[in-house]
């Protein structure tokens, strides 16, 4: 049977309609994620004013680093900026649940520690939170993994994992990276 022009045109129209449908579904999914779920780091939706991060509150200078909270939990707080981490080294106890909380006052950064579940974007305006547990004692590198400008490749922090017996917070509950 000869393929006539009309059936070809019909077939093309069917395919065009199907593809328009697929595009509509994808656009719908993007709009839903953006407007319905809000664009946010892949952890939790917790807002923070990027302009006042350094001045007061949870991420003021004196609160950064690792702290044994009054509740007993271990929380490590970091600020990522172009192009450094504050602090540049954090100490954490081995095999203990640790909550990492990170914020950025300037642009989008990212943190990751190879071999762990620590891998998140840090978006200005939000607190990025990761719960983890470091199983191996030693020093791990935590580079920025989101291109954030010319100094991106120099943006790297250290995570020092120590045995629980060597994790000694001070009277305020803070633990500092000992000199190497
Ligand atoms: Cu910060 Cu790349």
């Amino acid at each position: 049977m000869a393929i006539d022009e009309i059936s070809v045109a019909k077939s093309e129209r069917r395919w065009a309609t199907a593809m328009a449908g697929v595009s509509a579904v994808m656009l719908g999914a993007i709009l839903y994620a953006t407007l319905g779920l809000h664009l946010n780091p892949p952890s939790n939706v917790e807002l923070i004013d990027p302009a006042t991060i350094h001045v007061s509150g949870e991420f003021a200078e004196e609160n950064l680093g690792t702290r044994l909270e009054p509740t007993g939990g271990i929380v490590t707080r970091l600020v990522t900026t172009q192009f450094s981490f504050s602090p540049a080294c954090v100490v954490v106890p081995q095999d203990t649940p640790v909550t990492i909380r990170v914020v950025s006052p300037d642009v989008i950064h990212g943190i990751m520690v190879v071999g762990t579940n620590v891998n998140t974007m840090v978006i200005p305006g939000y607190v990025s939170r990761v719960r983890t547990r470091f199983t191996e004692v030693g020093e791990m590198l935590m580079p920025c993994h989101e291109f954030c400008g010319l100094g991106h490749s120099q943006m790297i922090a250290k995570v020092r994992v120590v045995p629980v017996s060597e994790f000694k917070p001070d009277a305020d509950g803070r633990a500092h990276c000992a000199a190497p």
Side-chain angles (χ1 to χ4, degrees), residues 113-180:
V113 182
V114 173
T116 73
N117 68 329
V118 179
N119 185 342
T120 184
M121 289 168 81
V122 186
I123 300 176
Y126 294 91
V127 178
S128 297
R129 184 191 65 198
V130 184
R131 291 200 185 97
T132 191
R133 185 187 281 263
F134 295 94
T135 51
E136 308 270 323
V137 163
E139 210 163 78
M140 309 184 85
L141 293 179
M142 182 165 65
C144 176
H145 70 32
E146 194 70 41
F147 184 76
C148 52
L150 287 177
H152 164 70
S153 60
Q154 272 86 58
M155 196 173 160
I156 194 158
K158 281 182 197 161
V159 178
R160 190 166 291 156
V161 186
V162 298
V164 175
S165 58
E166 287 173 32
F167 181 75
K168 296 199 170 75
D170 64 17
D172 292 330
R174 298 184 68 193
H176 304 271
C177 265

Side-chain angles (χ1 to χ4, degrees), residues 57-127:
E58 183 184 349
F59 292 91
E61 188 67 37
E62 65 270 21
N63 293 328
L64 300 180
T66 301
R67 184 189 282 266
L68 175 64
E69 299 288 299
T71 51
I74 307 276
V75 179
T76 298
R77 294 182 177 83
L78 291 140
V79 175
T80 55
T81 52
Q82 289 170 313
F83 299 98
S84 64
F85 286 82
S86 194
C89 175
V90 292
V91 62
V92 292
Q94 181 192 19
D95 254 331
T96 308
V98 174
T99 301
I100 299 176
R101 291 169 63 77
V102 201
V103 292
S104 165
D106 46 31
V107 299
I108 297 177
H109 299 277
I111 60 162
M112 76 174 298
V113 182
V114 173
T116 73
N117 68 329
V118 179
N119 185 342
T120 184
M121 289 168 81
V122 186
I123 300 176
Y126 294 91
V127 178

